[in-house]
Structure formats: structure tokens, C-alpha cells
Amino acid sequence: MADDTPTNGAADNRSVDSRAAIQNCIDQAQQQGKALWIPQGTFYVKDTAGLNAQGITIAGAGLWYSTIYRDVPVPNSTPLAALFDLTSRTVRNFHIDANAVSRSTIGGDGGAMDTTGTDWLADGIWTQHTMSASGPPAPAGRYRTAD
């Protein structure tokens, strides 16, 4: 469920947790061999669990239009993995943001994407308020990172 009023760093406490719905879409795309489309809007992941994808393309409407926003309780006591755990994939044209207030576990910080496998492309990905844009191996493509 999208929230069409992005908060630019401060998540709306009335926002809906979309993690299960997004993971379900990822699972279906993997089973059907299709790409996952992230439409325009802000989609919240409101707990410490991330999203896992393997062998599919994940594409949004553009880094200014499609946002996956991690909103964890702060202060946080659970170490956070990356929001996306991705294997051998193409990701393009979306924004990853979080409500992190510092680059520490207690501040709610976690990575944007952990990447493994081969045949990688990350293009038009904007990460903000995350500890890192991607983990090894480094994908090729264009990145924009901001704090």
C-alpha cells in the first residue's frame, strides 16, 4: 500500500507496513520468472526484517517517484541487515530511505542492499539515511547516496 505523501526522513506513524506484501510480490515474480514493478509512492517496511530477492529485476517508476522506506523503532536494539538481500539481479529506478537518526544500530541504521552472485546491474538507485548503498560484489551502474 503506497503512501503518496513522502516524509523526507521522518516516517508517518500512521503509515502501513508493506513488507509482507512486497515480499509476497517478490516471491511471485521469482516463481513466474517476471520482473517486480514498484509503482509511484512510498512503501514502508516497519520492522527489522528485510526483503529477499533472487534472479529477478526490480524496477521502479524513477528514483524521485518510487520509495521503499525502512521505519524501525528508534532507539533500536536489534542489529539491522540491509533492507534488500539480493542475488544476481538488476535493480533500477527507485529510492531507498530510512528513519535512521545516526550511523549506528541504536540510531536505526542498516544497509540499503546486500548483493551476491554475478550478472549484476544497479542503475538509478538513490540511497538515503542508510549505512551503505550496497555490499560486495559492487554492482555496476549509477548511484546517488545522501545522508
Side-chain angles (χ1 to χ4, degrees):
M1 178 172 292
D3 177 351
D4 293 326
T5 55
T7 56
N8 298 319
D12 181 350
N13 62 7
R14 297 165 297 162
S15 62
V16 174
D17 184 2
S18 297
R19 196 200 77 71
I22 296 167
Q23 187 63 58
N24 186 46
C25 290
I26 289 170
D27 294 346
Q28 288 180 34
Q30 287 175 167
Q31 291 168 2
Q32 298 172 21
K34 295 184 177 181
L36 173 67
W37 170 250
I38 303 170
Q40 184 172 337
T42 300
F43 301 88
Y44 292 93
V45 173
K46 295 181 74 79
D47 77 26
T48 58
L51 301 163
N52 300 294
Q54 181 175 350
I56 63 169
T57 294
I58 300 174
L63 56 93
W64 303 113
Y65 303 105
S66 298
T67 299
I68 304 295
Y69 190 104
R70 176 179 256 166
D71 179 20
V72 297
V74 175
N76 174 53
S77 60
T78 304
L80 296 172
L83 179 56
F84 281 95
D85 183 10
L86 304 166
T87 304
S88 301
R89 244 348 19 186
T90 296
V91 290
R92 63 173 23 116
N93 299 326
F94 62 93
H95 176 209
I96 298 172
D97 199 355
N99 68 323
V101 295
S102 71
R103 290 186 177 268
S104 66
T105 297
I106 198 165
D109 201 9
M113 296 184 298
D114 279 343
T115 57
T116 58
T118 59
D119 193 25
W120 257 102
L121 174 66
D123 187 35
I125 301 295
W126 175 20
T127 63
Q128 185 174 351
H129 306 114
T130 65
M131 190 177 298
S132 63
S134 68
R142 295 176 287 146
Y143 282 95
R144 175 182 175 150
T145 59
D147 280 332

